Amino acid sequence: MKNIKIMVIAVFCSLLISACDSLDEKTFTFVAGEDVAADKGYDQLVNGAYCTLLFPFEWGNYHTIANFDCDYQTGPTWAFGDIGAGNFYDSGSCNNFFQYYFQAIHRANYHYYLVGKIDGIDEKVKDNAKGELQFLKAWSYFQLVQHYGPVPLFKTSISEGNVPEQPRASVKDIYEEIIRCAKEAESTLFSRNDPQWQKGHPCHASATALLAKVYATIGSASMKEGRITVKGGPGSKTNADGTTTRLMPVPITHTKNLVAGYEEFDSQEYYRLAFQKAEECIKSGEFELAPSQEALWANSNKNGPEFEFTLQTVLGQGTLYSNFVPKEYLGWPDPVNHGTWSSGYYVQRDHWLQLFDDYEDERITWGVLHRIPNWYNENTGKITYVFYPERDSIYVRKGERGYDKTDQVSYAAHLYGSKLMKFSQVSVYPLDGNRSDYNWPYMRYAETILFYAEADNEVNGPTERAMAMVDELNKRNNSTLCSKRNEETPFTKESFRSYILEERVKELAGEGVRRTDLIRWGIYLQVMNAIGTTDENGVVKRREEKHLLLPLPPNEVNANPFIENNNPGW
């Protein structure tokens, strides 16, 4: 998907609330979809559909749903708001997540129909455009079914005569449609190596990677029993004298639950399919790992060969086409306040950083902001810097690794935690506090490698080939090789499963996958509640059965005669 600048997409915009209403979009100019099709504007139809992915990022609705409700994300309590506290009902972020993905589905259906009516263009180009729309539909339904469970299923658009009010389909039926769409996309999308492929668009192997992700999700969710170890527990304790002591994460072994709605699936069969698709993606040669974390997240590497599917943004095109994600996750030096750090309130808990037993792992050397200008002394004209993590005090005392001996430890919620440098992948850096052209990484090749290893382990137990693939990721990150760990302490199926889940949270931190990982493994409640009522910063982590699914927007329940009740507990 190329940078979205085509203003005709505004034709299709209508910001309504319920799924039914979202599927009945109005036009606001004299140009309609039929006109675009008549003008052979297949590229405009594709971009007009993908534009729906931008809307949730305009004011930050998407990342709150994707990241706030998990064990390793933290910050000031006020910054986490309702979602961070588990108050999902009638939340603007929750409602918008539902609404915009249904708009994406409507446009994917309708624009697929319109592209099919276009004559006189290269058939491969036409098929590729239809493949992009099927990929978008598969992705959108995959997000909805993971977060909301059963939702209405629209195989065609209401613009083609479909009824706007539909009952909720079963999880199984939704996945059948996801897989159908993804398979069609896989069969029609250009290879990334094809001269006709356009940078930034999903390619053939993007659909293959999506299928691997879908199959692995089904495989883990439908597994009837199993154990998995997660490092967690309380982040702090209150001492008898009223002082507070921070606590390190401890390994806790959880017994998984079968995820509701996945009872009919065969876990082993879907893991076999996940392994097959991950292997196909790897062998396709369409993607490759960046040589380092710094190279991966360099602005020059946007849409590089590790990025399988990303949000496309542009700078300086108004509020819709750029976002505040880097400002909110990394922060910026405010020149008005002498370059002291502003924003960057959403950090990874110290428990996340303590997962790393390799102190030279690039994901926490280059990957984490270690020295932050905190406050300016008007009398001395000097800035006090804070350092992170506290174990770096040995370097502070020596004035090494860029630290000064005057640097201090801060326990402020947004300062004692990991600010991730991956959010610096923007044209303007250092950040300036404005919207930026940050491309959200929906899927990366590193994740496909980890799905390959996860699926192989679940079908065959820990194998040398799985470890060898993870070794490639370890080499890139300058971390201990998976195979080396196996030599020291041989993996079992259970310990390798736990290792892969931990590698996922290390590699994909802040990229919107942790919550769904905990949900699909059936350990979400166990992991969250092991923290206690709140984490060390006061963010509520206690969860109940109702939190396993997000609530449908109230307007959806009220407007759709086929939906009488919301998700359980809401």
Side-chain angles (χ1 to χ4, degrees), residues 534-555:
T534 65
D535 67 15
E536 60 274 20
N537 292 319
V539 177
V540 176
K541 296 296 184 181
R542 178 69 63 185
R543 294 295 187 263
E544 306 169 26
E545 289 281 342
K546 69 177 184 179
H547 292 107
L548 292 168
L549 294 175
L550 300 181
L552 302 179
N555 279 12

Side-chain angles (χ1 to χ4, degrees), residues 271-505:
Y271 263 128
R272 280 191 286 271
L273 291 169
F275 176 79
Q276 176 188 332
K277 286 302 171 184
E279 185 176 46
E280 286 178 16
C281 181
I282 290 166
K283 289 183 175 179
S284 73
E286 294 185 48
F287 298 114
E288 63 184 38
L289 292 174
S292 67
Q293 284 285 322
E294 185 173 7
L296 169 63
W297 299 107
N299 185 60
S300 59
N301 195 42
K302 274 191 175 183
N303 295 321
E306 187 167 331
F307 293 99
E308 297 172 331
F309 177 44
T310 64
L311 177 78
Q312 301 302 299
T313 55
V314 290
L315 195 60
Q317 296 289 328
T319 63
L320 179 58
Y321 305 105
S322 52
N323 55 65
F324 285 126
V325 168
K327 170 186 173 182
E328 294 173 340
Y329 277 79
L330 180 58
W332 58 290
D334 187 355
V336 175
N337 293 310
H338 306 277
T340 54
W341 211 252
S342 180
S343 195
Y345 294 114
Y346 308 123
V347 298
Q348 297 295 305
R349 293 174 63 210
D350 192 51
H351 272 198
W352 175 81
L353 184 128
Q354 300 303 338
L355 298 175
F356 292 83
D357 52 8
D358 299 304
Y359 284 16
E360 301 305 315
D361 192 312
E362 268 205 8
R363 292 171 294 190
I364 59 167
T365 53
W366 177 86
V368 170
L369 193 62
H370 291 270
R371 190 169 186 257
I372 303 171
N374 188 32
W375 62 276
Y376 175 77
N377 189 317
E378 295 284 352
N379 296 322
T380 64
K382 294 183 178 180
I383 293 176
T384 296
Y385 287 79
V386 299
F387 68 91
Y388 176 78
E390 194 168 0
R391 70 189 185 198
D392 277 7
S393 60
I394 185 174
Y395 306 119
V396 174
R397 287 196 299 270
K398 296 178 180 180
E400 296 177 353
R401 299 198 176 190
Y403 291 120
D404 188 272
K405 294 179 180 180
T406 62
D407 291 352
Q408 300 178 6
V409 174
S410 172
Y411 293 108
H414 67 293
L415 293 174
Y416 198 77
S418 297
K419 296 181 184 294
L420 303 179
M421 288 297 293
K422 64 177 63 176
F423 294 107
S424 66
Q425 193 184 48
V426 294
S427 298
V428 178
Y429 189 81
L431 299 169
D432 58 9
N434 294 311
R435 289 175 179 274
S436 59
D437 54 337
Y438 182 75
N439 285 1
W440 185 273
Y442 289 123
M443 293 198 307
R444 281 202 284 125
Y445 181 57
E447 184 179 26
T448 299
I449 288 175
L450 293 171
F451 274 134
Y452 173 95
E454 177 184 320
D456 195 16
N457 179 60
E458 294 306 331
V459 175
N460 303 302
T463 65
E464 289 186 3
R465 65 184 176 187
M467 295 177 205
M469 282 305 307
V470 180
D471 279 352
E472 296 303 308
L473 191 58
N474 298 145
K475 291 172 188 175
R476 187 275 291 284
N477 293 327
N478 193 35
S479 61
T480 301
L481 296 182
C482 176
S483 57
K484 181 69 173 177
R485 292 181 186 271
N486 183 61
E487 289 175 10
E488 295 174 355
T489 306
F491 284 116
T492 64
K493 178 179 281 193
E494 182 181 313
S495 66
F496 193 66
R497 174 191 298 153
S498 303
Y499 168 76
I500 292 298
L501 183 63
E502 186 172 297
E503 276 299 302
R504 284 179 59 80
V505 77

Side-chain angles (χ1 to χ4, degrees), residues 122-224:
D122 186 304
E123 284 300 314
K124 285 182 63 179
V125 171
K126 181 176 177 178
D127 286 345
N128 180 76
K130 293 170 73 175
E132 289 198 58
L133 294 167
Q134 291 293 69
F135 180 91
L136 174 61
K137 181 179 176 181
W139 174 259
S140 299
Y141 262 126
F142 183 47
Q143 294 305 303
L144 287 168
V145 74
Q146 289 180 99
H147 287 90
Y148 299 91
V151 293
L153 183 59
F154 293 88
K155 295 186 177 181
T156 59
S157 73
I158 63 169
S159 300
E160 302 167 69
N162 200 359
V163 179
E165 293 85 12
Q166 296 284 348
R168 299 173 77 171
S170 69
V171 167
K172 187 175 186 295
D173 286 345
I174 294 167
Y175 271 112
E176 286 179 356
E177 182 68 0
I178 291 168
I179 292 166
R180 183 193 69 79
C181 292
K183 283 183 174 180
E184 180 177 338
E186 184 184 38
S187 69
T188 58
L189 285 171
F190 291 135
S191 163
R192 186 182 172 91
N193 302 319
D194 192 305
Q196 290 182 282
W197 174 76
Q198 293 182 332
K199 190 174 184 179
H201 289 242
C203 62
H204 161 80
S206 301
T208 306
L210 176 56
L211 281 166
K213 186 177 175 81
V214 167
Y215 290 143
T217 297
I218 297 172
S220 53
S222 61
M223 191 185 300
K224 292 180 172 58

Side-chain angles (χ1 to χ4, degrees), residues 14 22 44 57 85 98 112 134 232 259 264 350 354 412 435 461:
S14 176
S22 296
Q44 297 175 21
F57 284 87
F98 183 91
Y112 181 94
Q134 291 293 69
V259 180
E264 296 182 56
D350 192 51
Q354 300 303 338
R435 289 175 179 274

